[in-house]
Amino acid sequence: PIWADNSDRKCLVTYKGKTYSGFWALCAAVNRALDEGIPITSSSYYASITFDQLRHVLRSDTDVPMPLMEERLRVLHETGKIMNEKFGGSYLNCVKKSDKSALKLIQLVVENFPSYRDEGMFEV
């Protein structure tokens, strides 16, 4: 599972005095990294972030690591490369290309960023 919230053993991240688990632990880790001066929201940074750098950014306060680290690294590299090559390194450029249309924005994201294509095969 992506998040083991039903378990006694969890990845926990403390940020500004509050401890988070699950998806909120990921958010807390990103905010903590930004406070530490790590440019984790910069496509030029995450396009080439190393596994060790990501492990530091997403470090847990427990012995349970953040899940799916290798997959997260792959998605960051892929997304950063596309963001830099097609959108000048700025998500704002994606938004501008959508002409104020949420539908166009989601189509732009799905067409350009393979990891955001949440699709699967259904067999009867």
Side-chain angles (χ1 to χ4, degrees):
I2 296 174
W3 307 112
D5 281 333
N6 309 11
S7 171
D8 292 336
R9 297 189 65 239
K10 298 178 186 179
C11 169
L12 300 175
V13 174
T14 302
Y15 176 67
K16 293 193 174 182
K18 186 171 179 187
T19 301
Y20 300 89
S21 65
F23 170 74
W24 297 112
L26 177 66
C27 297
V30 169
N31 284 323
R32 178 182 60 193
L34 291 170
D35 287 354
E36 293 172 353
I38 299 169
I40 190 62
T41 58
S42 167
S43 62
S44 60
Y45 178 78
Y46 61 76
S48 61
I49 191 172
T50 66
F51 184 79
D52 286 341
Q53 289 169 321
L54 183 61
R55 186 172 46 209
H56 174 74
V57 166
L58 300 181
R59 67 193 179 276
S60 175
D61 295 336
T62 68
D63 63 342
V64 178
M66 189 74 64
L68 302 170
M69 291 292 289
E70 292 84 6
E71 179 69 6
R72 293 180 197 284
L73 182 67
R74 185 192 66 72
V75 169
L76 284 170
H77 286 165
E78 173 187 271
T79 302
K81 181 180 181 204
I82 294 165
M83 189 68 69
N84 292 335
E85 290 176 356
K86 293 187 175 183
F87 301 100
S90 172
Y91 188 70
L92 181 57
N93 291 332
C94 290
V95 174
K96 287 178 180 176
K97 285 188 175 189
S98 70
D99 298 321
K100 300 181 182 178
S101 166
L103 179 58
K104 284 184 183 178
L105 179 60
I106 199 68
Q107 287 172 330
L108 189 74
V109 169
V110 171
E111 288 169 4
N112 288 281
F113 299 94
S115 60
Y116 289 88
R117 292 183 200 135
D118 193 12
E119 58 193 14
M121 297 297 295
F122 179 75
E123 294 182 29
V124 179

